[in-house]
Amino acid sequence: MKFRTISTALALTGLLMGTPGCKDFYDVNVDPIHPSKAELQQLLPVTQTATSTYLGFNIAGLGQPTSALMQQLSNGRSIGNFQQTGDSFSGPWNGLYSDMLANNELLITQGTTEQRWGYVGIAQLQKAYVFSQLVDMFGDVPYSEALKGAQNTSPRFDKDADIYNGNPGLGIQGLFALIDEGLGNLAKPGAGVTGTADLIYGGDLTKWARFGRTLKLKLLVQIRKTRSDAAFQQQVAALLTGTGGLLEATDDFEFKYGASESPANRNVGYLADYVNAGRENNIGRFLYLLMKYGDGTNPSPTAAVRPIPNPALGYADPRVPYYFFNQLATRIAPDRATYDYQDPNDARFVTTRAGSTGPANASALSSSTRTLPGLYPVGGRYDDGRGGNANTTFGRGLVAQRLLPYFSRKFLEAEAHLVILNNRAAARTALQAALQASFDKVNAIALAEGTSPSPTTTSGAPYPTAIPSGSRALGPIPAAEIATYINGALARFDGTATGPAKTPLQVIMEEKYVASFGMGPDIYTDWRRTGYPILTVPDNNNIGSNVGLVEDNDPITTGAGLFPRRLYYSQQDITANANPSAPKAQVDPASPTYRIFWDR
């Protein structure tokens, strides 16, 4: 396993420069091969920043490419066309191991020596969370023998199921046992951490404990197809009803960004699409159509606008202007010669279709007019209809990177009640709470943003002051609109809504998919576990044996390969690792070990 120092990767983003205790992060040792003592209050924020960076919704993280796979984004990078190489994810792979996990292991070992159990418990929960994500993305990974520096430079690739469940015969402590140990350390007398060093919960160990139990529930739900015994059901039920509780409404597990421009402490996704005039992302057509019209898969006889939206389904998700910012302000007829795809009912929405071979498919053609990730995902601009060529004054970039928020807990409960505990009524109640929590999150972000200031236009012309008809100023979503949407979702769950019939699980997972915009790894995991939502892909050659995919019926889109069910390893690491368990090549889709163990 190759290790490097934290400064190599994160100094480039400037993220650590403004975090408490980390202004001298070059002095923080992260190389376990040549260890030197570091203060625990310095190490903790480094691990949390690295977690957010390399799992997050940005060019350096796994959140962006997995969001592209899940059709929430559309980009021209190879993974957007279902192609990957041994270099595709070497950055986040190396970053998570070298910048996050190596520092985190120092927290555990040094904290244990110093008997500072608060730091140890937090680090153990963080370790369980990050390794669970590595398994979910890559499968077998170095775990039990990793992070030992010169003691073992070619660690074993442990089996994915062993990492989750443990294997005493091989000396592997599973993630469930690691979580329990972390919770035990948090509960020890005198446990505590310096509040300013903890960028997630400010040193609140009660919230960390609730996160740990929720993480355990998440992992149990993810492996539910591998377990059907009564003991498993009892374990899930105990978490849902046990003392101590799970994440509460104020307990979102998320990394909070700051307002500083120099050093750059704003949301990294905001920097990519608002500070960077060339833009990084397009919005996924599927997500937009699902939210705006309730169906991302309707075929159309008109090739240039496939799939055509169906307003009769009446979803009209009121979160749309919080999710997406339209740089175009005029609701004109679509210009198919200039833009690859526009909503035929609202031509302000501009994007590039996944796999497009059309004449306007080059992303640079629409950098000043394409629709961008808005306020909710990256702290960009709320869409009040005034549009404009976005720049750094079109938002503040303060929105946190969500990792495991409260609404995710409620969606997990809904799934657990429905398919593990076979309690449809309880699942419906949890779904209703999850939907309300997801809207509450949007409204909390809107309230924190305040009002949308008039930005400085790129051209220097005055920014319009009048909000066009059909749009409204930034503010919370009205309660009546929230209630209408939630009632519609519950009707779909009950099977009483108009439109295409959907199973209760499909409704839960579709709503979770929408609420989780910006959380690509979890969405990708959920889709592989459940087959929902049913995504559109450019052609049948992308589908193979995959459930949960349909062709987009668009003759000018094409996919370059089979839709992947796992990400490629860092080729450099598997080549350099001499352990017999290390893959000698990327796992072939025809291999029986291609799917992650819970992917059934």
Side-chain angles (χ1 to χ4, degrees), residues 244-518:
L246 304 172
L247 288 176
E248 297 180 357
T250 58
D251 296 345
D252 290 339
F253 183 66
E254 62 184 17
F255 183 86
K256 299 172 180 63
Y257 290 100
S260 172
E261 296 184 23
S262 181
N265 282 337
R266 292 176 292 179
N267 185 294
V268 188
Y270 172 83
L271 299 179
D273 282 318
Y274 287 80
V275 178
N276 169 31
R279 318 297 183 206
E280 174 62 25
N281 295 299
N282 287 279
I283 298 300
R285 178 177 59 171
F286 177 88
L287 172 63
Y288 171 80
L289 293 178
L290 180 64
M291 293 185 70
K292 192 74 178 285
Y293 303 106
D295 193 348
T297 62
N298 269 320
S300 163
T302 307
V305 296
R306 288 180 177 169
I308 192 168
N310 183 0
L313 292 177
Y315 274 44
D317 192 321
R319 292 169 290 188
V320 165
Y322 301 82
Y323 276 47
F324 316 121
F325 172 64
N326 295 311
Q327 295 187 91
L328 290 182
T330 306
R331 300 173 187 266
I332 57 175
D335 179 357
R336 294 164 191 154
T338 303
Y339 305 117
D340 187 70
Y341 181 81
Q342 290 176 280
D343 180 347
N345 299 320
D346 183 355
R348 297 177 306 150
F349 178 80
V350 175
T351 194
T352 300
R353 288 167 285 191
S356 175
T357 60
N361 69 337
S363 60
L365 294 178
S366 63
S367 62
S368 63
T369 53
R370 75 175 72 169
T371 298
L372 302 175
L375 174 61
Y376 177 71
V378 299
R381 190 163 183 83
Y382 165 80
D383 188 10
D384 60 13
R386 290 183 285 173
N389 184 1
N391 57 44
T392 188
T393 67
F394 275 65
R396 296 193 292 165
L398 296 182
V399 167
Q401 173 60 59
R402 292 177 289 279
L403 298 168
L404 186 58
Y406 170 67
F407 65 71
S408 291
R409 168 223 159 160
K410 301 306 292 186
F411 280 116
L412 287 166
E413 283 189 30
E415 182 181 356
H417 280 301
L418 182 69
V419 296
I420 298 175
L421 303 178
N422 301 312
N423 188 335
R424 182 165 173 158
R428 188 183 192 275
T429 299
L431 172 61
Q432 183 174 5
L435 288 164
Q436 184 63 56
S438 67
F439 277 95
D440 289 345
K441 186 65 175 177
V442 173
N443 279 351
I445 291 171
L447 287 170
E449 187 74 2
T451 59
S452 293
S454 292
T456 301
T457 63
T458 303
S459 66
Y463 191 70
T465 57
I467 294 177
S469 174
S471 299
R472 64 182 174 217
L474 173 61
I477 302 172
E481 293 183 13
I482 295 174
T484 296
Y485 184 88
I486 292 177
N487 288 336
L490 294 176
R492 293 191 290 276
F493 180 88
D494 295 335
T496 60
T498 58
K502 297 182 178 182
T503 68
L505 181 60
Q506 182 177 4
V507 174
I508 291 171
M509 302 315 296
E510 279 189 358
E511 295 298 340
K512 186 180 181 184
Y513 169 86
V514 171
S516 302
F517 186 31

Side-chain angles (χ1 to χ4, degrees), residues 27 145 185 190 238 263 286 323 401 554:
D27 297 329
E145 295 181 357
N185 282 322
F286 177 88
Y323 276 47
Q401 173 60 59
D554 191 329

Side-chain angles (χ1 to χ4, degrees), residues 97-126:
Y97 271 104
S98 301
D99 297 347
M100 190 284 164
L101 289 167
N103 282 287
N104 199 72
E105 201 68 12
L106 285 176
L107 277 172
I108 294 172
T109 56
Q110 188 171 312
T112 299
T113 299
E114 299 175 6
Q115 297 188 32
R116 299 175 72 180
W117 302 115
Y119 285 97
V120 175
I122 289 173
Q124 288 171 320
L125 296 182
Q126 291 186 155

